Amino acid sequence: MALNNTFDARLQQETAVGAGVQILLLALLGSAIGMGPAGWLTGLVFAFATWAVLSRALHRSRLSSFGPANRVTLGRATLVGGVTALVADSFESSPPVTLLVGLTAVALLLDGVDGKVARRTGTSSALGARFDMEVDAFLILVLSVYVSTQLGPWVLLIGGMRYAFVAAARVAPWLNAPLPPSFARKTVAALQGICLLLAGADLLPHTANLGIVLLSLGSLVWSFGRDVLWLYGNSGTGAGVEETATVEPLVRELKLELAGR
């Protein structure tokens, strides 16, 4: 019991350090751009919520160590917190587009690094996969909010689709079944952040940005629709379970993969 308490204390220290780094980033952003109350409040809420949720999840997971992969994901979460604060601040004043794009680009580039680190170090876990998924999903949601101010509220469909899927799965449990591996699904998932980043950078004409985001939304609808049809067709038959049994190390991530675009 004492050993478990020691491990838990060390894990909580990791989350506390992450929250501290998040607050430090907010302070740097605040001094650099004169961030207003909306940005500060949103950033602090994000930091506290991340610390609270992650601490509770770590306590329940009984992990013996936080692990290098989770540290990478926590670093990405810190960047996403900075992006969130900047987007919230953009409703009060003109956003520093270069800074926002820079933070977002680094967060997107690091996506996938945590997974590779986890596999190479043998530290893959259900918690790590879920943590990675939530950071990705929230970044897409925040970017869609930002781009919606330029192109219209319909862009929110991109960020909200994953959360709508999760809500639907509570009503229709068959949506929680594991999916077979799909390169197309991963490609579409990666496309969302890239397209929203391009549109948010506002370097291209309005028509081009509109086309890019429409492409993003169209591919996402296609991908979700294809997977939902597959899940419906295999619900209650057990077909999907047998097909994914050959990729045992990835099963936990596959359960979350559709949501983690």
Side-chain angles (χ1 to χ4, degrees):
M1 179 66 70
L3 186 61
N4 288 337
N5 289 338
T6 300
F7 283 140
D8 190 62
R10 290 178 180 174
L11 294 176
Q12 301 311 319
Q13 288 175 359
E14 298 267 9
T15 61
V17 169
V21 173
Q22 178 72 82
I23 294 172
L24 176 60
L25 176 60
L26 293 175
L28 292 173
L29 293 175
S31 63
I33 66 170
M35 193 162 57
W40 269 106
L41 179 60
T42 304
L44 289 173
V45 169
F46 180 91
F48 177 78
T50 301
W51 168 78
V53 173
L54 185 57
S55 294
R56 184 168 182 267
L58 285 169
H59 178 71
R60 296 175 64 183
S61 70
R62 301 296 182 183
L63 290 178
S64 59
S65 66
F66 195 67
N70 284 332
R71 291 189 184 101
V72 175
T73 308
L74 186 58
R76 288 201 303 115
T78 301
L79 295 175
V80 172
V83 173
T84 303
L86 291 175
V87 169
D89 192 62
S90 71
F91 287 93
E92 293 184 337
S93 60
S94 298
V97 177
T98 302
L99 185 56
L100 190 150
V101 169
L103 290 177
T104 303
V106 175
L108 291 175
L109 287 172
L110 288 176
D111 187 21
V113 172
D114 40 15
K116 292 179 181 178
V117 170
R119 288 188 289 272
R120 289 182 180 180
T121 59
T123 55
S124 299
S125 67
L127 173 64
R130 182 62 182 268
F131 187 23
D132 179 56
M133 172 197 71
E134 295 298 342
V135 172
D136 291 342
F138 195 78
L139 176 58
I140 297 303
L141 176 62
V142 170
L143 290 177
S144 67
V145 169
Y146 179 65
V147 176
S148 71
T149 62
Q150 305 170 21
L151 300 179
W154 61 271
V155 182
L156 295 173
L157 292 171
I158 296 175
M161 202 171 298
R162 178 259 171 181
Y163 296 99
F165 177 85
V166 172
R170 293 182 177 275
V171 179
W174 53 269
L175 290 171
N176 287 314
L179 286 159
S182 170
F183 178 76
R185 186 187 308 120
K186 293 180 179 180
T187 301
V188 170
L191 186 66
Q192 305 311 307
I194 295 172
C195 289
L196 290 172
L197 178 61
L198 285 174
D202 203 23
L203 297 174
L204 301 174
H206 179 82
T207 303
N209 287 333
L210 179 62
I212 289 171
V213 179
L214 283 173
L215 171 65
S216 175
L217 177 59
S219 64
L220 192 62
V221 170
W222 169 81
S223 184
F224 264 103
R226 187 189 67 157
D227 286 340
V228 168
L229 288 175
W230 189 93
L231 288 168
Y232 180 77
N234 289 275
S235 61
T237 66
V241 175
E242 181 178 354
E243 187 170 351
T244 57
T246 59
V247 285
E248 175 90 17
L250 297 177
V251 166
R252 285 190 295 253
E253 291 186 38
L254 290 172
K255 288 181 178 180
L256 302 172
E257 189 174 357
L258 177 61
R261 2 170 135 251

